[in-house]
Amino acid sequence: MEYVLKTNALKKVYGHYKALNGLSMNVPKGSIYGFVGKNGAGKTTLIRLVCGLQEPTDGEFFIYSIGSKEKEIVKSRRRIGAVVETPSIYLDMTAPDNLKEQYRILGLPSYDGIPDLLELVGLKDTGKKKARNFSLGMRQRLGIAIALAGNPDFLILDEPVNGLDPQGIVETRELILKLNRKYGITVLISSHILDELSKLATHFGFIDSGHMVKEISAADLENACRKCTRITVSDTGILSRVLDELNMEYTVLSENDADIFGKISVTELTLKLSGQNCEVTSMQERDESLENYYINLVGGERNE
């Protein structure tokens, strides 16, 4: 398998704080790679190193097989477009003028590609409207357009849907899928919004405290996510006691809801609960969510 980005025992230390602690990851060519971790896990630090905004303390990374310690890494970085933390746009400029400025920075000889780029990101009709009057979703898409100005084949997006309204999330998601499927651009998405990532990613890397906990394809992740039965009862305290007696694995979600893992005898369970005056309101088969998988993988509380 060909990889766009590989890191080998990458470390970044700030004083006594280890932002990256021996991170090794592999981003396959043509993938949408979901880079998953809590805030402060090291996601943005990795992106800043890859983009050349900072230098590693130790270890090495490879962009299209060119090592970060080689002079040719500069050429490999020219194949990257990135939106790091927030879109780099001029608020007092229109969308076309923002792109013209980026074209000048990159030394591109012609502005001919700007109309097509604006159409691609859904901003062709913004006219003389300045970016400061754009919605957050429009600003995000303009930031992506600027990242695409140099015609990269590797796009890095740091929390691209953070703070967006539902419409902005959908528009950004559809754009990312289009860039990947129609234009073959490999996309690395850093995010802690796991539900949205599950609709996009073909591969996942789960990072915690600066090191990679697990890398897995979306297909293998789907197989790994256990099926469960979501049950709603009048008292999960009673439910817990009954499930303990039956040696069943479960997770209590609230006073009335719980997930039960493994096969259950519905008749036996409901009879035991009824015998202790615990009413069953509903039962529904479900797949384990990406969020639950991540929490079980790294431990700790949900990261809202």
Side-chain angles (χ1 to χ4, degrees), residues 121-123 129 134-141 144 160-176 196 199:
V121 300
L123 295 175
K129 186 175 184 179
F134 285 6
S135 67
L136 288 178
M138 292 170 68
R139 291 184 190 182
Q140 185 64 258
R141 284 182 281 125
I144 293 174
V161 299
N162 202 19
L164 300 188
D165 60 23
Q167 181 179 349
I169 290 174
V170 170
E171 290 171 346
T172 302
R173 181 204 312 153
E174 290 177 348
L175 174 58
I176 292 169
E196 184 58 31
K199 300 172 184 174

Side-chain angles (χ1 to χ4, degrees), residues 116 120 148 151-153 175-186:
D116 289 340
L120 174 62
L148 294 171
N151 197 29
D153 44 18
L175 174 58
I176 292 169
L177 288 171
K178 184 176 183 180
L179 292 172
N180 177 254
R181 294 173 180 175
K182 184 174 180 179
Y183 297 96
I185 296 175
T186 303

Side-chain angles (χ1 to χ4, degrees), residues 268-287:
E268 182 182 16
L269 179 60
T270 52
L271 284 175
K272 284 184 175 292
L273 290 172
S274 178
Q276 297 193 36
N277 296 317
C278 180
E279 179 185 359
V280 178
T281 304
S282 67
M283 298 178 73
Q284 183 180 12
E285 286 191 355
R286 298 168 61 95
D287 290 330

Side-chain angles (χ1 to χ4, degrees), residues 225-233 236 239-240 243 246 248-254 256-267 269-270 273 280-289 292:
C225 284
R226 300 172 297 172
K227 293 186 181 296
C228 68
T229 300
R230 174 69 54 84
I231 185 169
T232 302
V233 296
T236 50
L239 174 66
S240 297
L243 291 174
L246 296 173
M248 296 294 297
E249 184 181 355
Y250 63 91
T251 300
V252 174
L253 304 173
S254 67
N256 301 107
D257 297 306
D259 285 340
I260 305 173
F261 300 96
K263 292 183 178 181
I264 62 174
S265 169
V266 176
T267 302
L269 179 60
T270 52
L273 290 172
V280 178
T281 304
S282 67
M283 298 178 73
Q284 183 180 12
E285 286 191 355
R286 298 168 61 95
D287 290 330
E288 183 181 24
S289 68
N292 283 337

